[in-house]
Structures are given as structure tokens and as C-alpha cells.
Amino acid sequence: MNRLTKNILKWKWPIIIFSLLLTAFFGYQLTKIKINSNVIDSLPANDSVVSLFKSIGHQFGGNEVGVVIIEAKNVFQPAVLKDIQKITDTLAKVKGVASVTSLTNILNFDGIGNDFQVKPLINMQHLPATKQQIDSLKQQITTNKMYRNNLVSDDGTASLVIFKFSAGGNDLAVVKRVKKAVAQLSLNEKVYYAGGPFVTAMVSKIISEDLIFLIPITFLVISLILYLSFHSLQGVFLPMLSAGMAIIWALGCMPLMGINMSMVSNNIPIILMAVGSAYTIHVLNRVNQCREKDYRKALRKALSLIFVPVSLAALTTMIGFVSFIFGAYLKMIRDFGLITALGTFFAAVISLFFIPALLDVFPVKKQEKVKTKTQNHRSFLDHYIIQPLTKSVLNHSGTIILIWFILIALSITGIFSIRRSVDTSEYFRKNNPEHIAEKIMTQKFGGTKPVFLQFTGNMQSHDVLETMKKAEDYLEKSPYIVSTQSIADIIIKLNKALSGKKEIPDDAAIGQLWFLLSGNENISQLVSEDMDKGIVIAKFNAEGTHAAADFAKYMQPFLKKYNRPGCKIQMTGLPFINAEMDQSLLESQIASLIIATIFVIGIVSLILWSFSRGLIASIPIAVTVIILFGTMGLTNIPLNMGTVLVASIAMGIGIDYSIHFITHFHDGVKNGLPVPEAIRETMRISGKAILINFSSVAGGFLVLVFSKLVPMQYFGILVALSMLSSSLGALTLLPVILKWKNK
């Protein structure tokens, strides 16, 4: 180790120059980072439910639909209908919009005597003028299943303008153009936006704003904590420099590896700023504690003492992140684990090579101090925290164990109350427009979670269309389904208009009806161009983790009975994808924790050359995980795409405190110090570094409470709580155990 530290200082200038060149290279790569917050794109392509969902979205436009919601006391008032027409006509002219459907332009099929007419649902040239006419129009439209809950709400207080995005276009750019175009209209109604592209655009906007807003705040918070801890500008500058370089290197790898910024990875800079500064804190603390008169010798000694603990602490932290690569269902979480693990590695390398090289070039100047009892300087940490904790550990071990036992027991009761959530509406604050839009869609239009039944067969066949109609009837008997829609409904309506019979006609008549429908662009949302596939769209409106599973079980008898050659039926939809994501949260949490636990205990055991010591060092972090999950259950914080990351991260970062403490303690015992004195010495040096580390890490993560994404707020709070628990565990529970074990 001495040889390595000598070489680091010997080759200081090449190390500094190479590090700065790498920073410049990766800094340039940052200009190429792209943001993609679409959860659908992050789903595994080999999942049959997901692949069918994406296929239907691509072929029928189901996943690339935007919705403008118009709220009014009565949408059938002439003034409101004119505003709906304004929006419809305006959207039709927006670049990137393929088609627009609303009450004011949709065609209606009517039979008058023996004549068949295709005309607009609402005659915009002769709008209702009296209350009676308005009520009559409302009654006519809201009682028609094709329009009720699809274009207008039951009570007539909300209407939708639905539009499709052009294939191959930039959806985020189209969203901006749509919002800008509608904002320029003089409208008297409340307008909201819904649909996948709008949610994705909102998340992307929040990610950009959070990065711009939160990173400087995190920098200031951590800098302030470091200055109060070290009382020197160098003690602030060097940790923040190492963290900043690690962030640039890690994020610079993203475009090189084809990885986009997502709603999960947007907190990587915050994590690396907190974690990256921690390793340099330990290096600086060791340098400050060395009593050698020769600065270079002190630097070399400090580096030789801290190199292994920092390297192994970084390794265990990386394991916490790497566990997501093997245990996560969503690609965005796997990408997060990979980039954050890389960033942690970079932070450790910078702290152990670049920072010592820099310290050798710009040495810390120490002032000579005469140490007497009256002149001995005792810092705030030493006097008010370190010394009281040391006395408690040495004199009140039983009380400490009792307090931790109570916390563990209380937390275990909360673990059984943890709930899981993949509901996108919970990602936003309650006053966010997307949250309000989701609420309106759920309450007035049956929700935004479609279920698709894809029929593969001849769409001009009586048997196939009759089966589609039976499927709709069966779906509507489920309490989870609000409404259904398919080409079979239109065929039945056309047949009734022509023949007076409300039924699916024979094959010959169907062919004639298809001729009448040719050129109608709305049909492409229900039937493929080759007429070999068609879909039944059902609106699913139910909450809870078991609703989708119950519904799938309900559908199985129908699918089994009617699935046959010439009429293949497949089912997919957001409820099933959400159910898989929900289950994956639990599986990802368990898998990542198992992976992290095995590797962390294994590596710590190797570090300490003892499996029993490895288990002892892991006790504080095990307690931390219990307290973490207990807090989530007791405070109703859900397990979601943000909070599922916390436990493994807490384990990876939190174990660092135990590693530093137990390594320093055993060095003291090995050098002949009695156990109480070894604990005092460890608390004085490593204990101080742990508290500074905890303060900077927790302070950095707590900045996330200002994020506009609710999962990120929870993430910041829970990580800070985990750091508090793991640091206190390392400074109280661990030394008590070590004291008892080494009696």
C-alpha cells in the first residue's frame, strides 16, 4: 500500500492532467444527453402483454393519443360547442397531429325511412337555441354508448377533443405546439390535457426544471455543511470538486452508452453529489488527523490508512446500485443502477488519486497550536455529539440496546401496512394540471386505463363481428368496465339504419356496409388497414393491486370458449401492465435486497477476515432497512418507482459507516489499545467523519423534497432517514456490540 501511495504522489501531474482531460471529454458528452420519461418505452420487449400492447398502440394509435378536456356547466351550450369547434379546427392545423375527433366533427349514421344518411353528429350551422333544444341534444348524445364516456361525460359537464399524433414525429414538440395553439384561443372554459404523451412531456419538463433548480441548491447545502464541519474553503472545495467531476463523468457516459435521462435517473446528480463528496471527506479527515510534522509524509500515511476503507466502502455502495441491474423489471431502473454504480466508482477513483495529487500540489497549511487543557479547541461535533455518544456507549449500553429494540419493534408493525403503487397520477402534486386531468378522466370518463381485446380474423365475417359483440356484452357485465367500443357497434348501427334490424348482418351485407365506411379515418382506430385485425376497446376503472388479476380471471372463460382458428383473441392493456409493474416492484425490491445483502456481508467479511465480524458490521444496516420499511408503512408512503430504490441504496451507502468504524476500531485494538480507548479513538476520528458524511449526504438528499415529482420527494426523505439510522447505528449500536464481543 505504501508503494501505491508513493506512486500516486510521484505521478501527481499526469494524474491531474489526465483527470482534467477526462472531465472535459465527458463534459462535452453532456450536450448529447436526451430525456425520455415514457414508462412504456422502459418496459421489457420480451413480455407478451407488453409487446401486444405496443403492437396495438403502433397499429391502431392507442398509445399515441392526446386529449384536450373541456370543462363547463353544460358543454351543449352553443358558446361551449363553438369553443370545442375552435379547439378541433385549431388542432387539425397543428404540425404533427394526424387526426382530430370531437363532438363537433364526428359523423353520425342515421336511417330515415328507407334512406341512409351520414352527417355530422351536431349541426354547427344550426345550434340549439332554447333550453329545450339544448336538453334534447344532451339527451340524444349522452344516451348513445358510442359517445357517452368517450366524447362527453354522463352529466354533460365535460367533453373531450381527441387527436392522434403523426407516426414518426416528435411527440414532445407536438405537445408544446398543441398547448401553445390552444392557449392562444379566447376560451371561457377550463381546459386540461391528458394522454400518455402529455404525461411524458410533463415528467420531462419537471426533470429538466428539477435538474436546473435542485442541483445548485444541493451544492449550496452540502457546501455549507462542509464549511461548518471543516472551517476551511479547501474542506468545501475539494469534496464538491470530486463530486462534480464524478457527476460529469457518469452522466457523460449516458449518451455514449445510448442511455436516456428518465424520471428515475434524474436524481443521479443528487446521489453522486452526496456520495461523491463522502469519500473525499474521509480522505481530508484522515489527513487532518495525522500528527506527522512533514506534510508529505502525513499525506502518504493518511492515504495508506484510508485507501482500503474508501475502496471497500465504494465497492459496497456500488453493489447496492448494481443490484438494480439484475433485479429490476424496468429498463430505466436498470440504467439508473448502472450509471450510479459507475459514478460511485468514479467518485472513489477521483478521491483516492486526483484529490491526493492535488493536495500534494496545494498542501494544507496547518498552524502550530500549543495544546493545553485551557486552550484545547473542542469543536461543536466533538463537544455536543461525539463525546456524549461515546459516554453513552461506554456507560449506558443497556439503554442503547433497549431504545433500538423499541424502534425495531415499532417498525415491524408498520412493515405489514406497506402499499404498492404504479398509478401515474400519484407522481404529481395535487395542484398539478396532469393530476387534475387524470382525476377528471377517472371521475367523468371512466379512467385512462384501456383494456384491448385484439381479434385476428376477417373483419368482414359475420362470425368474427358477432364474437366481438359478445365480447363487449361480456366485458360490460364486469364491475371494472365502464364502457366498450368496437367496429361491431358501428356495423350494427349502420345495419339498423338501413334494414331496421339491430344486429350483425350476413357476410354479403357486411361487405356493402364496409363500402359505406370507406374513407372514414376514425375506423382506423378500430380495424387494421388490411381488415385482418380489429380491437375492442374497454375502459377499466378500478384501483387496488388485485383488480387487474380479478378481471383477467373473469375474462379467462370467455377467451377459452371463443378463441378458435379464424378468430384469435388476445388481451392486453394498461391494467395488466400496471399489475406486472406492481408485482415487479415487490420482486425487484426482494431481488435487489437479497443481492445487496449477500454481496455486502460477503465483502465486509472479506474486509475484516471474519464472517462473524461481517455480520456484526451489517447489523446497523439491517436495522436501518427495517426502520425504513416500517416508516413507509406507518406514514403511508407507497412502494413505487422512486421509493423501490431506497433500501438497496441505503444498504450500499449506509454500510460505509460501519466499515469505517469497525476498521478503525480493530486497527486500534491491534495496536494495543484497550477496548474502551479504541472506541474513544474511533469515535473521535472516524465518528466525526461519519457525522460529517451523514450530514452532507442527508442534506443533499433532503433537497429532493423540493422536487415536483412526488416519488422523488419520498425518495429524498427516506434516504435521509436511512442515513440518519445507519450513521446512528454505526455510532451507538455497533460499538456496544463490539464492546460486548471484545470483553
Side-chain angles (χ1 to χ4, degrees):
M1 190 55 64
N2 286 330
R3 186 177 178 183
L4 176 61
T5 56
K6 283 181 182 179
N7 285 331
I8 290 173
L9 301 183
K10 178 183 177 181
W11 298 96
K12 58 189 173 186
W13 280 113
I15 289 172
I16 291 172
I17 293 169
F18 183 68
S19 299
L20 294 177
L21 287 175
L22 274 181
T23 304
F25 170 75
F26 285 122
Y28 172 73
Q29 299 302 319
L30 294 181
T31 61
K32 302 177 183 179
I33 285 182
K34 297 179 180 179
I35 296 176
N36 183 3
S37 53
N38 191 339
V39 178
I40 300 298
D41 291 342
S42 190
L43 296 168
N46 59 352
D47 187 301
S48 59
V49 174
V50 172
S51 60
L52 179 60
F53 183 78
K54 288 182 177 180
S55 172
I56 289 174
H58 177 73
Q59 187 159 19
F60 300 98
N63 300 339
E64 302 301 323
V65 171
V67 177
V68 181
I69 306 170
I70 299 96
E71 262 199 324
K73 289 184 178 179
N74 188 342
V75 297
F76 296 100
Q77 291 281 353
V80 180
L81 289 173
K82 287 179 181 178
D83 281 347
I84 293 174
Q85 186 181 40
K86 277 186 191 177
I87 295 172
T88 305
D89 295 342
T90 299
L91 293 186
K93 299 174 184 176
V94 172
K95 182 182 177 182
V97 173
S99 63
V100 187
T101 303
S102 74
L103 287 176
T104 62
N105 75 341
I106 194 168
L107 297 178
N108 190 45
F109 308 101
D110 267 333
I112 302 174
N114 293 322
D115 294 330
F116 172 75
Q117 290 185 343
V118 179
K119 61 181 182 180
L121 177 65
I122 298 175
N123 188 340
M124 295 303 295
Q125 303 303 317
H126 298 88
L127 292 172
T130 66
K131 184 178 184 302
Q132 185 178 0
Q133 290 174 334
I134 292 171
D135 291 342
S136 175
L137 180 63
K138 178 181 177 181
Q139 174 70 14
Q140 173 195 341
I141 294 176
T142 56
T143 54
N144 190 318
K145 66 167 286 187
M146 291 191 65
Y147 311 123
R148 184 181 67 249
N149 294 325
N150 291 316
L151 288 177
V152 65
S153 61
D154 276 333
D155 57 6
T157 60
S159 182
L160 305 181
V161 177
I162 302 171
F163 63 95
K164 288 177 65 176
F165 289 75
S166 300
N170 185 335
D171 289 355
L172 296 183
V174 176
V175 164
K176 289 180 182 178
R177 288 195 285 267
V178 165
K179 286 188 173 182
K180 183 179 179 181
V182 174
Q184 291 174 346
L185 301 175
S186 299
L187 303 175
N188 298 314
E189 300 78 27
K190 292 181 180 178
V191 174
Y192 301 97
Y193 302 91
F198 283 97
V199 174
T200 300
M202 177 59 71
V203 173
S204 298
K205 180 173 180 286
I206 290 174
I207 289 172
S208 299
E209 291 174 350
D210 278 358
L211 288 173
I212 294 170
F213 176 66
L214 297 180
I215 290 178
I217 294 178
T218 306
F219 179 87
L220 291 174
V221 168
I222 295 178
S223 297
L224 177 61
I225 292 170
L226 293 176
Y227 183 76
L228 292 175
S229 302
F230 288 106
H231 299 287
S232 73
L233 293 177
Q234 192 177 48
V236 174
F237 176 73
L238 292 180
M240 298 313 297
L241 176 64
S242 62
M245 289 173 66
I247 291 169
I248 292 171
W249 291 15
L251 296 187
C253 288
M254 293 180 72
L256 293 173
M257 300 170 71
I259 296 174
N260 296 324
M261 188 71 75
S262 69
M263 65 180 297
V264 176
S265 59
N266 73 314
N267 59 19
I268 289 177
I270 308 294
I271 293 172
L272 293 182
M273 195 173 294
V275 173
S277 62
Y279 304 133
T280 302
I281 288 171
H282 284 289
V283 172
L284 290 177
N285 191 60
R286 269 293 185 176
V287 172
N288 290 338
Q289 295 296 331
C290 279
R291 295 186 174 91
E292 299 289 340
K293 290 184 178 181
D294 181 82
Y295 177 76
R296 208 161 195 267
K297 191 175 180 181
L299 180 58
R300 193 163 58 244
K301 181 181 178 182
L303 187 57
S304 64
L305 289 171
I306 202 67
F307 196 96
V308 171
V310 167
S311 299
L312 295 172
L315 183 58
T316 54
T317 301
M318 288 173 62
I319 287 169
F321 296 128
V322 169
S323 65
F324 296 121
I325 299 174
F326 302 103
Y329 176 74
L330 294 175
K331 182 179 181 294
M332 64 171 63
I333 294 180
R334 295 196 298 273
D335 291 343
F336 164 84
L338 175 60
I339 297 300
T340 316
L342 269 177
T344 303
F345 171 74
F346 291 149
V349 169
I350 291 166
S351 298
L352 294 173
F353 289 85
F354 176 74
I355 294 300
L358 211 58
L359 285 172
D360 196 31
V361 175
F362 304 102
V364 178
K365 295 181 180 179
K366 293 185 179 181
Q367 295 180 348
E368 292 290 331
K369 292 186 180 181
V370 180
K371 294 187 178 180
T372 66
K373 287 186 178 180
T374 57
Q375 294 174 319
N376 185 34
H377 173 72
R378 294 188 297 182
S379 70
F380 177 86
L381 284 177
D382 291 330
H383 187 64
Y384 292 102
I385 301 177
I386 298 294
Q387 290 182 19
L389 283 177
T390 305
K391 288 179 182 178
S392 298
V393 167
L394 295 176
N395 302 324
H396 305 288
S397 301
T399 304
I400 289 174
I401 293 295
L402 178 62
I403 292 171
W404 281 107
F405 180 79
I406 293 171
L407 287 173
I408 292 169
L410 184 63
S411 299
I412 289 174
T413 63
I415 289 175
F416 298 100
S417 302
I418 291 178
R419 66 183 181 91
R420 305 190 300 272
S421 174
V422 292
D423 188 353
T424 54
S425 67
E426 292 191 12
Y427 294 168
F428 306 106
R429 295 176 181 176
K430 290 184 178 179
N431 61 349
N432 185 282
E434 292 300 329
H435 182 89
I436 297 171
E438 180 74 20
K439 189 176 179 181
I440 293 171
M441 291 296 293
T442 299
Q443 293 178 347
K444 297 188 177 184
F445 293 94
T448 56
K449 300 182 182 71
V451 169
F452 299 111
L453 289 185
Q454 177 175 277
F455 287 74
T456 303
N458 183 2
M459 291 298 110
Q460 297 185 70
S461 163
H462 168 88
D463 290 342
V464 173
L465 292 177
E466 185 66 34
T467 305
M468 292 181 82
K469 179 58 183 170
K470 288 177 180 178
E472 287 190 75
D473 294 340
Y474 189 81
L475 282 164
E476 289 178 354
K477 291 176 183 177
S478 168
Y480 299 130
I481 298 300
V482 177
S483 63
T484 62
Q485 186 181 13
S486 79
I487 189 64
D489 297 325
I490 297 174
I491 293 294
I492 289 172
K493 187 172 183 179
L494 279 174
N495 189 53
K496 184 176 185 300
L498 288 175
S499 67
K501 297 178 180 179
K502 193 177 180 180
E503 62 184 17
I504 302 286
D506 57 31
D507 290 359
I510 290 174
Q512 294 174 2
L513 295 177
W514 269 113
F515 177 76
L516 296 172
L517 289 171
S518 61
N520 191 323
E521 61 182 19
N522 293 322
I523 300 303
S524 64
Q525 298 176 23
L526 300 172
V527 180
S528 66
E529 188 177 346
D530 297 331
M531 291 197 293
D532 60 345
K533 289 180 182 177
I535 56 173
V536 173
I537 306 174
K539 285 190 176 180
F540 185 92
N541 191 6
E543 301 296 333
T545 58
H546 301 295
D550 292 343
F551 176 70
K553 187 176 180 181
Y554 167 79
M555 289 300 298
Q556 286 310 308
F558 180 89
L559 297 175
K560 187 175 181 180
K561 180 178 180 180
Y562 290 100
N563 223 329
R564 61 188 186 275
C567 185
K568 181 182 178 182
I569 309 172
Q570 296 169 283
M571 184 169 66
T572 186
L574 273 180
F576 308 113
I577 291 175
N578 285 347
E580 289 197 17
M581 287 174 60
D582 178 81
Q583 183 62 28
S584 77
L585 287 176
L586 182 61
E587 293 173 355
S588 296
Q589 186 70 91
I590 294 171
S592 61
L593 272 179
I594 290 173
I595 293 169
T597 301
I598 291 171
F599 278 96
V600 164
I601 293 176
I603 288 173
V604 175
S605 299
L606 288 174
I607 294 169
L608 304 173
W609 292 100
S610 168
F611 182 69
S612 62
R613 288 180 183 177
L615 286 176
I616 290 171
S618 303
I619 288 174
I621 202 63
V623 171
T624 293
V625 172
I626 292 171
I627 291 174
L628 166 68
F629 287 131
T631 301
M632 290 177 65
L634 293 172
T635 57
N636 199 35
I637 295 177
L639 190 67
N640 56 34
M641 281 194 290
T643 57
V644 73
L645 307 172
V646 177
S648 294
I649 291 175
M651 182 173 288
I653 300 176
I655 195 67
D656 293 2
Y657 303 143
S658 295
I659 290 174
H660 284 289
F661 192 97
I662 204 167
T663 302
H664 198 146
F665 171 80
H666 281 294
D667 284 344
V669 172
K670 191 186 295 182
N671 291 329
L673 290 177
V675 171
E677 188 58 34
I679 289 175
R680 286 192 185 93
E681 181 71 7
T682 304
M683 292 287 281
R684 185 179 70 82
I685 298 176
S686 288
K688 182 177 180 180
I690 287 169
L691 286 174
I692 295 171
N693 190 344
F694 150 69
S695 301
S696 62
V697 172
F701 279 107
L702 281 174
V703 171
L704 287 172
V705 299
F706 298 108
S707 172
K708 294 178 182 177
L709 285 175
V710 174
M712 292 303 103
Q713 295 174 355
Y714 289 149
F715 177 82
I717 293 169
L718 291 175
V719 172
L721 172 67
S722 299
M723 294 304 99
L724 173 64
S725 175
S726 56
S727 61
L728 286 178
L731 294 175
T732 58
L733 185 59
L734 182 58
V736 167
I737 295 171
L738 291 172
K739 175 188 166 187
W740 285 355
K741 188 176 183 298
N742 289 274
K743 276 186 177 181

